[in-house]
Amino acid sequence: MTVAKILGWMGASLLGIGAGLSSYAISNETRAPLKSLTTGVPPRGIAQGNAALALLAARRARDPSAGVNALELRLARQAYRAEPLNVSAITIQALAEKGTAEAELRWALLELAGKLTRRDSLTNMSLIEAAAKRGDDAKSFAWISRTMLTRSSAAMAYGKAMAAATARDGAVEALIDVLGPKPRWSNLYWQLILEQPNSYVNAAKLRIALTKAPWKQTSIEPTDKDLVRVLANAGKFDEARQLASTLRPARTAKGNLLANGNFSAEPSFAPFDWELSALGNLGASIDKDNRRLVISAIGGASGPAARQLVRLAPGNYRLGWVMSNNSPLPANAISTRIFCGEANGSNVPQIMIPLVAGKHQENVKIPHTDCQWRWLSIDVALPDDAMGADILVSALSLA
């Protein structure tokens, strides 16, 4: 074999080895960047940026407050020179700018990294944190939304953070444009809101704002009814009533303060529409075709069959009703009870009006007290030895 052939074979072998090392470097520059760098062959830019990120992530796993060190910064700068669009390199350099004077540079670099990709966890997390520190809730929520859309595994954690942050001043305005397009995580957000009592009031304001142009989210969701309920349970009656009325105006006849007092529809937003009992010995339902409340009770049944919250000023009122039953009832077996629904209302006197069969009216006087919101409850109290009864109530009014 001639020298020329030997050199040719050696050259070919070296080229093959070089190509193999280069392929190895390329295949590992993302998933194993440190291994890629050990080859010492190009390309190195992406591997250097990813190596810096991997080193920082490993240290943050042990210490979440760890910052960028000198080695990571050097790798990031080398990566940036070779690959100016390497997201890891840009983000690492941004996080290395810690001083107050460098805050705008840090933010500019992070925004640049964010424009290059939506899927880098460190970039997204850093943008959320930086926007929060700047007091820019709109951008903070926008980046949380982007993270939830691109990383479904992070949706729960970020959703809880957003639901808790809804309680902050200015959160309503910041969240309108984020929730307006109804992102696919919006149902999760409204479910998580129900676990954040401090956010109830702002959540109601936000939901009302979303019914207006340009978003016009007027379809009623199960979480809307739940939000009305938890607001009322928390004593936020005015806010709860405003939300319920915005989503579905109360069905009230002229002069009747009771919603759905003619029982012409299924209840929509309890407790400002009828809250119906569904117990084993006492149940109530609305027969909307015949416009009546149907109460079924057996011996020993006791408690409210149907009730709703009403805002009542002190003064004189008239309660009207029509009632029938399939069998004779003991005295005071069914009555209307009006009592304070507010937390401090236990000492406010209750008003009891026995209901009897036929068409009737009774005068009712609401005394001067601090209580504004009162329950109007149709109560049943049957002795243990009483026969079961089916009771029909219609045309119930309070005027």
Side-chain angles (χ1 to χ4, degrees):
M1 182 176 293
T2 64
V3 173
K5 286 185 177 181
I6 293 173
L7 291 175
W9 282 111
M10 289 179 64
S13 298
L14 290 172
L15 285 173
I17 293 171
L21 288 172
S22 181
S23 297
Y24 179 84
I26 291 172
S27 65
N28 285 285
E29 62 186 2
T30 298
R31 61 185 179 184
L34 293 173
K35 287 183 179 180
S36 177
L37 289 178
T38 61
T39 64
V41 300
R44 295 170 59 84
I46 295 176
Q48 287 170 324
N50 290 339
L53 178 61
L55 291 170
L56 176 61
R59 290 192 304 107
R60 282 196 168 181
R62 298 188 297 272
D63 178 11
S65 63
V68 177
N69 64 23
L71 173 59
E72 293 153 1
L73 180 57
R74 185 171 70 253
L75 286 170
R77 286 174 174 170
Q78 290 170 352
Y80 183 71
R81 293 188 189 101
E83 297 285 348
L85 299 183
N86 182 263
V87 173
S88 298
I90 297 171
T91 301
I92 292 292
Q93 290 181 89
L95 296 180
E97 302 292 343
K98 299 178 181 178
T100 304
E102 293 81 16
E104 289 305 315
L105 174 59
R106 179 168 59 250
W107 177 251
L109 287 170
L110 286 173
E111 282 202 307
L112 173 60
K115 290 176 182 178
L116 293 173
T117 181
R118 295 186 174 199
R119 298 185 177 277
D120 185 77
S121 301
L122 179 62
T123 300
N124 290 348
M125 190 187 311
S126 301
L127 278 161
I128 293 167
E129 182 181 348
K133 286 181 178 178
R134 289 162 62 92
D136 192 338
D137 283 341
K139 286 192 175 180
S140 180
F141 288 138
W143 282 107
I144 289 177
S145 174
R146 177 179 288 192
T147 303
M148 293 171 72
L149 289 170
T150 55
R151 288 184 61 215
S152 57
S153 60
M156 181 62 72
Y158 280 112
K160 287 181 178 179
M162 187 181 289
T166 302
R168 296 205 303 253
D169 292 340
V172 173
E173 294 74 15
L175 280 166
I176 289 173
D177 290 339
V178 175
L179 282 158
K182 208 168 185 181
R184 63 173 179 265
W185 50 261
S186 58
N187 286 338
L188 173 63
Y189 167 80
W190 290 111
Q191 291 166 12
L192 293 172
I193 277 290
L194 302 175
E195 302 172 6
Q196 299 290 337
N198 292 336
S199 295
Y200 289 167
V201 172
N202 273 358
K205 293 177 181 177
L206 175 61
R207 185 65 186 89
I208 290 170
L210 290 172
T211 65
K212 299 179 173 61
W215 308 115
K216 296 184 179 179
Q217 293 185 22
T218 55
S219 297
I220 297 173
E221 305 291 343
T223 48
D224 294 329
K225 296 182 179 182
D226 291 336
L227 182 55
V228 169
R229 175 179 51 78
V230 295
L231 275 164
N233 290 344
K236 304 295 183 181
F237 301 121
D238 292 320
E239 293 86 348
R241 180 58 183 270
Q242 184 181 6
L243 175 58
S245 299
T246 299
L247 292 169
R248 179 173 290 169
R251 293 177 291 269
T252 55
K254 186 177 181 180
N256 189 0
L257 297 175
L258 300 179
N260 200 13
N262 61 0
F263 306 107
S264 61
E266 292 295 330
S268 55
F269 280 101
F272 304 102
D273 199 335
W274 295 109
E275 198 174 80
L276 303 175
S277 174
L279 302 175
N281 61 354
L282 175 62
S285 61
I286 288 180
D287 178 3
K288 61 182 181 181
D289 293 332
N290 295 301
R291 299 196 171 198
R292 59 192 184 184
L293 175 70
V294 181
I295 301 172
S296 298
I298 62 175
S302 178
R307 66 177 190 168
Q308 68 173 261
L309 271 174
V310 190
R311 186 168 188 168
L312 296 177
N316 298 313
Y317 295 81
R318 181 173 288 113
L319 179 72
W321 73 91
V322 176
M323 191 184 87
S324 63
N325 46 281
N326 65 340
S327 59
L329 292 172
N332 300 322
I334 182 166
S335 60
T336 294
R337 181 167 57 108
I338 300 174
F339 61 100
C340 185
E342 298 176 11
N344 58 352
S346 58
N347 295 325
V348 177
Q350 299 188 24
I351 299 169
M352 298 284 291
I353 304 101
L355 299 183
V356 294
K359 182 177 182 180
H360 297 274
Q361 289 186 341
E362 286 286 341
N363 292 329
V364 177
K365 184 177 180 63
I366 302 297
H368 287 269
T369 67
D370 292 334
C371 185
Q372 300 182 59
W373 288 94
R374 297 174 187 258
W375 286 104
L376 184 141
S377 177
I378 302 175
D379 287 0
V380 171
L382 290 178
D384 291 339
D385 58 354
M387 295 179 59
D390 290 323
I391 304 160
L392 304 177
V393 178
S394 59
L396 187 66
S397 64
L398 186 67

